[in-house]
């Protein structure tokens, strides 16, 4: 265990008594970001009795999305035959703006910006160089099939990852993403990838905020027939979907497409 990692898998937490969220927890103090994160892990059913490796889904905004989407993954295995996965929630531990710095971590800095934005590259370095190695050292993870999920500002971070570091994640799901600041970076060519099996899902609720819905449709129009994309693209309009409450619909459509044999 690295010196920046505190906590123990033997420590009892309330989630121990919620079998749909059965797994692990540890705190991680990031050098890249300079702040701690609370990492929640849901194990696949049968994990302790198996010796196989599993895909890993990394959830941004784990404070709110981990309890919803980790359990939802279990239901999708029941109803849709979805492959099981380790689900990792990356949480700040609070919604208080002095602690929860998602607005800074999930954004690049615009020309007229201040210190409230601009942390995307440092946060991605935390994911790639710190958290992912820790997760893959602790658990039976399949490095070739990592998925990143983000909602709203987290969806911005997913797009940033897809455009700047395409090889790191096999699959990405950007749910009702924001596109600002510096939206032009998402209309410009993406970095090249060495892999040919990457997938990007972008979802947009038909009842999302009008400003976000409009730019999402504009973005899709620009990219739907573009050449040279480093990932296969699936744009999903969620009928009657709203901004935040449709995250389960985004997750469902995203993971089912990513794991589909004929995508």
């Amino acid at each position: 265990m690295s010196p920046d990692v505190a906590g123990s898998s033997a420590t009892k937490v309330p989630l121990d008594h919620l079998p749909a969220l059965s797994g692990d927890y540890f705190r991680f103090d990031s050098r890249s970001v300079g702040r701690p994160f609370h990492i929640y892990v849901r194990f696949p059913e049968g994990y302790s009795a198996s010796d196989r490796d599993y895909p890993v889904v990394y959830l941004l905004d784990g404070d709110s999305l981990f309890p919803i989407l980790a359990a939802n993954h279990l239901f999708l295995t029941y109803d849709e035959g979805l492959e099981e996965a380790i689900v990792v929630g990356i949480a700040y531990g609070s919604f208080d703006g002095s602690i929860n710095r998602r607005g800074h971590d999930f954004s690049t800095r615009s020309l007229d910006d201040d210190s409230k934005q601009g942390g995307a590259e440092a946060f991605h370095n935390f994911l790639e160089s710190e958290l992912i190695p820790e997760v893959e050292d602790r658990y039976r993870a399949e490095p070739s099939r990592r998925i990143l999920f983000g909602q709203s500002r987290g969806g911005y971070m997913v797009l940033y990852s897809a455009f700047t570091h395409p090889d790191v994640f096999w699959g990405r799901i950007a749910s009702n993403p924001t596109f600002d600041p510096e939206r032009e970076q998402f209309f410009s060519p993406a970095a090249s990838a060495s892999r040919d099996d990457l997938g990007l899902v972008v979802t947009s609720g038909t009842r999302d905020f009008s400003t976000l819905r409009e730019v999402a449709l504009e973005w899709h129009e620009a990219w739907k027939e573009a050449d040279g994309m480093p990932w296969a693209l699936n744009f999903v309009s969620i009928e009657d979907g709203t901004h935040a409450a449709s995250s389960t619909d985004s997750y469902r459509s995203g993971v089912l497409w990513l794991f589909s044999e004929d995508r």
Side-chain angles (χ1 to χ4, degrees):
M1 183 183 298
S2 76
D4 287 334
V5 179
S8 168
S9 59
T11 302
K12 292 294 182 183
V13 296
L15 293 180
D16 290 343
H17 305 289
L18 296 174
L21 297 175
S22 177
D24 200 5
Y25 160 83
F26 60 94
R27 169 177 159 146
F28 196 101
D29 292 293
S30 170
R31 292 189 182 94
S32 297
V33 177
R35 284 177 273 109
F37 294 92
H38 299 276
I39 310 300
Y40 291 92
V41 182
R42 180 210 162 240
F43 291 154
E45 277 201 321
Y47 180 82
S48 62
S50 170
D51 61 358
R52 59 160 291 193
D53 294 338
Y54 291 90
V56 182
V57 182
Y58 293 87
L59 302 176
L60 304 179
D61 288 316
D63 306 83
S64 52
L65 290 179
F66 178 78
I68 300 169
L69 299 183
N72 196 49
H73 194 105
L74 176 64
F75 295 148
L76 288 169
T77 69
Y78 292 164
D79 292 352
E80 302 283 4
L82 178 67
E83 184 175 348
E84 265 287 23
I86 298 168
V87 181
V88 175
I90 306 165
Y92 289 90
S94 174
F95 292 135
D96 187 314
S98 65
I99 297 171
N100 190 316
R101 300 290 304 281
R102 66 190 298 275
H104 176 268
D105 291 342
F106 305 161
S107 65
T108 55
R109 183 169 294 180
S110 61
L111 295 177
D112 57 352
D113 196 11
D114 57 27
S115 61
K116 293 181 179 179
Q117 296 177 322
E121 185 59 24
F123 186 85
H124 201 280
N125 191 60
F126 154 65
L127 292 176
E128 181 177 3
S129 302
E130 297 180 326
L131 182 60
I132 287 173
E134 184 66 29
V135 167
E136 293 178 356
D137 181 62
R138 284 174 174 257
Y139 311 114
R140 295 199 310 277
E142 186 178 344
S144 63
R145 290 197 294 169
R146 306 171 186 140
I147 296 172
L148 181 65
F149 180 97
Q151 158 71 27
S152 187
R153 178 64 68 187
Y156 180 108
M157 187 66 213
V158 170
L159 291 176
Y160 177 82
S161 174
F163 273 78
T164 60
H165 303 275
D167 281 326
V168 176
F169 293 94
W170 168 70
R172 294 174 171 87
I173 306 168
S175 172
N176 285 327
T178 61
F179 288 83
D180 291 317
E182 300 298 289
R183 73 172 62 178
E184 60 273 11
Q185 67 188 310
F186 302 128
F187 288 83
S188 302
S192 60
S194 62
R195 302 175 59 171
D196 61 3
D197 62 343
L198 307 179
L200 171 63
V201 182
V202 177
T203 70
S204 174
T206 59
R207 291 175 54 213
D208 193 6
F209 302 123
S210 59
T211 53
L212 296 185
R213 175 67 174 167
E214 289 166 7
V215 70
L217 293 174
E218 180 186 354
W219 182 87
H220 180 227
E221 188 65 27
W223 282 98
K224 65 181 182 181
E225 296 180 358
D227 295 325
M229 294 184 294
W231 11 257
L233 174 62
N234 184 25
F235 183 88
V236 180
S237 278
I238 299 175
E239 190 62 35
D240 210 34
T242 55
H243 182 67
S246 297
S247 60
T248 53
D249 300 298
S250 296
Y251 189 88
R252 177 192 181 101
S253 61
V255 292
L256 290 178
W257 181 77
L258 288 170
F259 283 96
S260 172
E261 293 181 357
D262 56 1
R263 71 171 173 89

